Amino acid sequence: MRAYWKLKSDRDGSGIVLENMEKKIDEAGTLESLEKIRVEIFGKKGMLAAEFAKMKDIPGPEKKAFAEGLNRLKAQLLERFERRHAQLEAEEMQSRMRAEAIDVSLYAPNGVKGALHPVKDTMDRIVDYFTALNFSVESGPMVEDDFHNFEALNLPKNHPARDMQDTFYFSDGTLLRTHTSPVQIRTMMKRKPPIRIIAPGSVFRRDYDLTHTPMFHQVEGLVVDEKAKVSFANLKWILTDFLHEMFGEVDIRFRPSFFPFTEPSAEVDISCIFCGGSGCRVCSRTGWLEVLGCGVVDPNVFEAVGYEDVSGYAFGLGVERFAMLIHHIADLRSLFEGDIRLLEQFR
Ligand code: PHE
């Protein structure tokens, strides 16, 4: 028992010192001072070690009782130490949390707000329009093969778009997709009609000037259903409504055009939003701005993906062009220079 040990140690007074240790532990005010006390008591050269060293001088019959008493006291001190340690740890955590607390309700007059990049913002608006009409959003790889990017889209082997001058090829024959139309092919090959999708994403062409960058973004759309359900009239309605949503009350005209993957094909113009149609520098004095390509899906495309007895329409647009028109941006390249001053205008 402790009493026994106290009795024993009273012989040389060291028991009193050890007793005091309990008090010392309880009074330690910080983890740091507690650590010093731990070394003093439990360390290799600490008091307990010194007490245990005395054992060799204690006569045989009393040795066992002495050791037991000392071990019991050690256990007691250890428990005391651990309890105090846990207390101090919790206290220090509390005071650290108090010290590091921030007041999120403080008024910050000069806080800098971020802004969506105009391309991202425009892309979101386009995607929102079509998803509201139940189009689903599809994506595909940017590194494409010849079949999905060209062949299945009825782009013949000698088509200029396939030229090294226009397309980025890799040595294994794959290429950076030149449009997001391959996503249409991929979707049709893994799914049965009806199809109603848009394919937003980055595309790549060898081009660099005021209105062209080697990477830009497209949104393409595709609708496929039974023959009686899809017509050029549907296409015309949806694109007219879409363009009014994006550009407000503009005039819209469909101009006959050509794409290998659609027949008939059209390009869509809006009346110039800068001069209202009277002719200016932006519309090259024509009064019109071209904003979309579209058409009724060519039967050769359906044949390539194994579709029969269906009809469809498709359209494609350049997101940067929309962003430039909506935000009156003169140089397309400024959209990709990462100059924070450009973004600051769109907060
Ligand atoms: N894929 C065409 C392009 O990149 C756009 C387009 C899509 C035209 C669908 C018509 C129909 O220019």
Side-chain angles (χ1 to χ4, degrees), residues 178-179 181 184 205 218 220 259 261-262 293-295 314-316:
T178 60
H179 46 188
S181 308
Q184 305 181 10
R205 293 179 197 174
Q218 280 191 333
E220 294 209 357
F259 297 104
F261 29 87
T262 47
C294 66
F315 54 88

Side-chain angles (χ1 to χ4, degrees), residues 77-95:
L77 285 175
L78 210 61
E79 195 196 308
R80 200 68 156 237
F81 168 81
E82 271 157 13
R83 197 191 316 149
R84 186 67 189 140
H85 191 269
Q87 272 171 3
L88 285 176
E89 221 169 34
E91 274 171 30
E92 287 193 10
M93 168 70 93
Q94 279 299 324
S95 66

Side-chain angles (χ1 to χ4, degrees), residues 121-147:
D121 180 52
T122 306
M123 178 83 101
D124 285 352
R125 286 173 61 183
I126 296 168
V127 170
D128 283 351
Y129 174 87
F130 287 103
T131 50
L133 289 177
N134 237 355
F135 281 68
S136 63
V137 178
E138 295 290 333
S139 59
M142 291 181 204
V143 176
E144 265 297 0
D145 53 45
D146 186 272
F147 175 78

Side-chain angles (χ1 to χ4, degrees), residues 189-340:
M189 293 185 81
K190 69 173 185 234
R191 239 198 265 155
K192 286 197 173 73
I195 299 239
R196 184 174 265 267
I197 60 153
I198 48 168
S202 333
V203 300
F204 308 84
R205 293 179 197 174
R206 285 179 185 258
D207 252 337
Y208 192 64
D209 60 36
L210 261 182
T211 51
H212 298 88
T213 48
M215 186 281 304
F216 61 103
H217 299 81
Q218 280 191 333
V219 176
E220 294 209 357
L222 172 72
V223 171
V224 182
D225 210 328
E226 290 164 30
K227 272 196 166 144
K229 289 193 182 166
V230 187
S231 70
F232 198 92
N234 301 142
L235 171 64
K236 205 172 165 190
W237 179 86
I238 202 168
L239 291 182
T240 304
D241 189 63
F242 165 64
L243 291 174
H244 280 145
E245 182 74 23
M246 297 299 291
F247 295 106
E249 286 313 305
V250 287
D251 290 335
I252 291 166
R253 74 175 183 189
F254 284 67
R255 232 177 339 100
S257 184
F258 174 79
F259 297 104
F261 29 87
T262 47
E263 181 60 36
S265 306
E267 278 173 318
V268 188
D269 300 337
I270 58 172
S271 54
C272 181
I273 53 177
F274 296 94
C275 63
S278 58
C280 66
R281 199 180 50 83
V282 183
C283 61
S284 310
R285 321 250 158 242
T286 62
W288 294 97
L289 297 164
E290 184 203 319
V291 289
L292 272 165
C294 66
V296 170
V297 180
D298 193 289
N300 288 346
V301 175
F302 286 141
E303 199 183 312
V305 299
Y307 274 14
E308 277 170 11
D309 294 324
V310 290
S311 164
Y313 66 74
F315 54 88
L317 63 90
V319 179
E320 279 76 4
R321 177 144 176 86
F322 273 54
M324 286 174 82
L325 294 175
I326 290 170
H327 296 294
H328 294 208
I329 298 165
D331 186 344
L332 174 61
R333 292 171 294 196
S334 67
L335 289 175
F336 301 113
E337 279 165 356
D339 190 332
I340 198 81

